[in-house]
Each structure stands twice: as structure tokens, then as C-alpha cells.
Amino acid sequence: MSSTSLLIKHADRLVTMDAAGTELADGALYAVDGVITHVGPTALLPQEADQIIDARGMLLMPGLVNTHHHFCQTLTRCMAQDRDLFGWLTTLYPLWARMTVEAVQVATKTALAELLLTGCTTTSDHTYLWPNGARLDDQIEVAAAMGVRFHAARGSMSVGQSKGGLPPDQVVEDEAHILADSQRLIEQYHDPAPGAMLRIVLAPCSPFSVSPALMRESLALARSYGVHVHTHLAETLDEERYCLAQFGRRPVELCEDLGWVGKDVWHAHMVHPSAAEIERLGRTRTGVAHCPCSNMRLASGIAPIGALRRAGARVGLGVDGSASNDGSHMLGEARQALLLQRVQGDPAAMSAREALWLATRGGAEVLGRDDIGQLAPGLCADVIGYRLDQLAFAGGAVHDPVAALVFCTPPPVDLSIINGRVRVAEGHLLGLDLPVQIERHNAIARELANAM
């Protein structure tokens, strides 16, 4: 088969996100079959390619990496507006239990469209209830059709209210079925190769919705296949009180007892670890998905991101569910991460470039990827571009175009390329009729609410 080449040239600024922090004027990138072969000044790169994109007036950078989401929650945005996490969950569990296979597919497509249009090229999702015949396969099918690099988490809940858990019994699953389906998904879909477009993650939901036995067995199964694991942890003080009452252990202590630490583990939120727990999480290189908007929306608190990073923990950003953030804007999440760290009193607590590092290199590290998150030869051609002459950047990009991405109003992306394929061109998502998609999505959302 013949190779396909791509040249993007004359970018006003090309941000590599490499270890040296290289940023190039009149930058260019050359890729063959979805893999970068050259990065540098336009004049020094090959000048012919099967596809050539003139990036004058644009800033190019690596695609953003989302480490935590709940796609299906796009159907229940702006609900339970004034609840904390436990109250929010108990309000929404019954609605989510009514989702059909079509609802899961339509919601997934909506979430992915929003992510693509805001600069995300690689995303994880953590769906943990599977009503009415829905399966992870339904999300995998949609992500493949949309050309997104996807870490599909097989979430689960097994401890309902009758056994002391938070979720109603109608939304939990039998643990033997969860483990059997997890093994099926790994064997059918997981791709460990460099440049993989699809990987499977095992993701029991939380300490208040699964048993310690399922946590242990899911981890053992994942490690037997070389698959990563993910869960929610230390998100709220209610969770801490629950774990102390049920297990006599704080959330992080419980996960340590169960073996849920290390380079193949990442936890969402990590708002309330102790100083000693932070040190241990860093020493084991455990990952953290920081979700600032969700933590603020649900009044969960401020995660100690600076301390976790200094200790050695792998930290990336997650938009979290679109019903606890009500949006899926990765660049907006980077901006919020910066502001939230600074609001505690230190204007130097996080810089714009550090926030973008979390959204790219940090996210790649959390997902266990060394082939994305920066623009360098041998890595995946996942590239995004923003026009610098737009209103949101006026008076900002002329001083520092990189910082403008974070300090100014976060715009949608103008160009998105995943695995060497253009997915967004001139701000338009290719291959999806958005008005039709939104109409069907809203109809399903109304049906869910009206059924209550």
C-alpha cells in the first residue's frame, strides 16, 4: 500500500510541548501515515505532500488529552443544580437508568463532537451503568466512526442501596458478569500497540458503589492483560465519611490496601488526600485526573494539584461528566485549572504553559501514552490549530499567543487532525450534521426527564 503524507506549514507559532518547551515561529510539521516525521521551521521541511495545509495566522499545538468524562451525562445537563455529589447522584441515577442503546450512542456522539470542536483528540470515558441492553461496544462504535483516539473504560457498579451502597439496586450489575464482560472487551478490542486508536480500561465506579472484592479482581484481571485501571477517589468529604464508616479506612488508604496504586492506575478528582497520602501517591507514580469545573460545581473542594505534582504523581485534566460540569471544553478546563490554583492566594501557583502541559503531556502520562501529547518525530500526528486573529485574542495574542489560549476566553478549535486525518477544518466538524444531531439529542433528553 502507498503511504499518505501531510504537510502543515507557515504556522505563526508551533508549540511542541517537548521537554525543552520548544516553540517555533513559521513552524511546520510533516507526517506520513499518521506519524510525525519532521517538526521545524517551514524552510527546513519537505515542501511536497499528498495534503498541504497553510497554517498562516494560526497557532499549532498537540491535541488535548481528556482523562475523565461521562459521555452519557450530556443528556442530563443543568439538573440537580444545587446538590452536592451524593445528592446529585441520587437525583440522576433514576434518569440514567432509563437510557436506551440509542440514548447512549447519541449522547456519546454529542460529547465527542463537543470535545473535538474544543481541541480534544484523545479522550477517556467512564460510563458505569449499562441499562436496557447498552454496552461499551455502543460507545466504541461511535468513537471509531468519528475518528477519535479513545480509551474506553468499562465502568461498573455492584453494591446497591440494599447492600449499603449509594446507587439504587436497579442500576447495579452482578460481579461475575462485570468481570466476564471486562475480559471479553479486552480480548475483543484492546490495542496495546503504539499509535493505538482504541484501548480498554477497567473502571469500577467508586468505593461507595462497588465491593473491595470487585476492585481486587478487576485490578488482577487488568494486570494479567497489561490494561490500565481507573476509578473515582477522594472526591468529597462524604466519601471519606462513608469509607471510614464502612471500611475503617480513608479512601486513599482503602485503595492502597487493594493495590490500586502505580503507573497503571489513575484516579479521578483526588480532592481530599492527606499530606502523607500525597507523598505515597507520588512515590508510586499513581495518576490523577484533575476536574476543576466539576469539583467547583458540586462544591467538592480544590484538589492539591501542585503538591501532587511535586510529589511525583502523574496529573492530567478531565472535563468530567457533562452534568457535573455541563460542558466538555478541554481548553476551558485548562483555564479553570490555572484560576483555581491561583485563587488560594499564589498568583504563580500555575502558569498558562503549565496548564497546557497538563492538558497535553500530563494527560498522555495519566493514560500511559508516550506516543501523544507533544509534536515530535515518531509520535502520532494529533495536531490542533487556533486562529490568532480572532476577537477573543485581540490584544492578547500579540503579546503571548500561547498564554492567550488560557488567559483569554477559550475559543473553539479551527483545525483538528487525529492520526493524520483532518477532523475539524475552518472550525467545522467533518462528517456530522450538527443540527440534526442536536435535535435528536434534545428529544431523548426530554423523553428521559418526562418519564420521571
Side-chain angles (χ1 to χ4, degrees):
M1 296 178 63
S2 60
S3 299
T4 301
S5 55
L6 168 70
L7 171 64
I8 315 173
K9 62 180 182 178
H10 294 307
D12 283 18
R13 183 69 62 92
L14 189 150
V15 181
T16 66
M17 285 292 169
D18 64 10
T22 304
E23 299 175 7
L24 302 170
D26 193 23
L29 177 148
Y30 195 90
V32 177
D33 293 340
V35 178
I36 299 169
T37 60
H38 301 76
V39 175
T42 297
L44 300 182
L45 264 65
Q47 297 300 302
E48 299 297 329
D50 297 313
Q51 183 175 14
I52 299 176
I53 297 174
D54 192 321
R56 285 182 175 88
M58 298 184 73
L59 179 147
L60 299 181
M61 64 178 292
L64 308 181
V65 181
N66 179 32
T67 63
H68 187 65
H69 206 330
H70 304 292
F71 292 164
C72 294
Q73 293 179 12
T74 55
L75 292 165
T76 53
R77 286 169 163 164
C78 297
M79 303 187 79
Q81 295 176 14
D82 303 315
R83 304 292 184 90
D84 61 10
L85 175 66
F86 280 17
W88 177 83
L89 285 169
T90 53
T91 300
L92 295 178
Y93 281 142
L95 276 76
W96 297 334
R98 297 177 180 275
M99 289 189 302
T100 62
V101 170
E102 185 198 7
V104 169
Q105 291 177 324
V106 170
T108 296
K109 189 174 292 186
T110 294
L112 289 174
E114 189 172 15
L115 287 170
L116 280 164
L117 286 167
T118 58
C120 180
T121 56
T122 298
T123 185
S124 181
D125 183 66
H126 186 188
T127 295
Y128 47 78
L129 71 165
W130 303 99
N132 306 308
R135 304 190 302 168
L136 186 59
D137 310 61
D138 302 317
Q139 294 185 310
I140 290 171
E141 178 183 338
V142 172
M146 296 184 71
V148 178
R149 204 176 296 279
F150 187 31
H151 284 233
R154 204 301 183 183
S156 56
M157 297 193 296
S158 64
V159 178
Q161 291 173 351
S162 65
K163 296 181 179 179
L166 187 71
D169 290 349
Q170 71 186 104
V171 300
V172 303
E173 298 176 278
D174 174 74
E175 294 190 354
H177 168 73
I178 292 168
L179 292 167
D181 192 50
S182 297
Q183 183 173 357
R184 174 190 70 84
L185 289 162
I186 295 170
E187 293 180 350
Q188 184 171 347
Y189 293 113
H190 183 69
D191 183 359
M197 292 296 291
L198 175 62
R199 289 185 179 169
I200 299 298
V201 177
L202 300 191
C205 182
S206 64
F208 50 82
S209 60
V210 300
S211 71
L214 182 63
M215 294 286 285
R216 288 193 190 94
E217 292 181 46
S218 294
L219 180 65
L221 177 63
R223 286 182 169 162
S224 72
Y225 283 92
V227 166
H228 287 217
V229 294
H230 179 51
T231 193
H232 298 88
L233 196 69
E235 183 175 359
T236 68
L237 293 176
D238 281 341
E239 176 190 332
E240 183 175 305
R241 287 187 282 268
Y242 178 92
C243 287
L244 288 169
Q246 292 290 324
F247 309 112
R249 309 289 279 163
R250 289 167 49 85
V252 174
E253 293 173 330
L254 174 64
C255 272
E256 289 174 319
D257 289 348
L258 298 172
W260 273 67
V261 291
K263 294 181 179 180
D264 56 353
V265 177
W266 89 97
H267 302 296
H269 302 292
M270 199 56 65
V271 177
H272 298 288
S274 69
E277 290 167 348
I278 290 172
E279 191 277 329
R280 296 197 300 272
L281 290 166
R283 188 171 63 245
T284 56
R285 294 285 289 156
T286 301
V288 174
H290 178 40
C291 306
C293 288
S294 173
N295 294 342
M296 296 170 72
R297 204 267 212 195
L298 296 175
S300 301
I302 302 175
I305 295 307
L308 284 162
R309 292 185 66 201
R310 288 189 295 271
R314 297 170 292 120
V315 180
L317 297 180
V319 300
D320 202 13
S322 286
S324 61
N325 177 349
D326 304 286
S328 304
H329 199 308
M330 271 295 294
L331 194 57
E333 208 70 34
R335 183 175 193 267
Q336 203 64 59
L338 175 146
L339 296 175
L340 188 57
Q341 293 304 303
R342 292 185 176 203
V343 79
Q344 300 174 90
D346 181 3
M350 183 177 291
S351 71
R353 284 168 173 79
E354 286 174 322
L356 292 174
W357 189 94
L358 290 176
T360 53
R361 291 285 300 277
E365 288 187 358
V366 166
L367 296 184
R369 306 285 301 236
D370 59 6
D371 54 355
I372 60 173
Q374 60 178 309
L375 303 181
L379 274 63
C380 299
D382 292 1
V383 189
I384 57 175
Y386 297 92
R387 290 211 60 82
L388 296 176
D389 57 0
Q390 58 182 291
L391 179 62
F393 293 158
V398 294
H399 304 302
D400 187 339
V402 180
L405 293 177
V406 179
F407 281 110
C408 298
T409 301
V413 76
D414 292 285
L415 173 70
S416 178
I417 296 170
I418 305 176
N419 209 39
R421 294 180 57 220
V422 177
R423 304 305 306 131
V424 176
E426 297 181 350
H428 297 289
L429 179 59
L430 304 183
L432 180 64
D433 188 329
L434 274 178
V436 172
Q437 170 67 22
I438 293 167
E439 182 179 12
R440 183 60 189 144
H441 185 273
N442 284 340
I444 293 173
R446 291 189 190 97
E447 290 168 7
L448 286 178
N450 291 339
M452 292 301 294

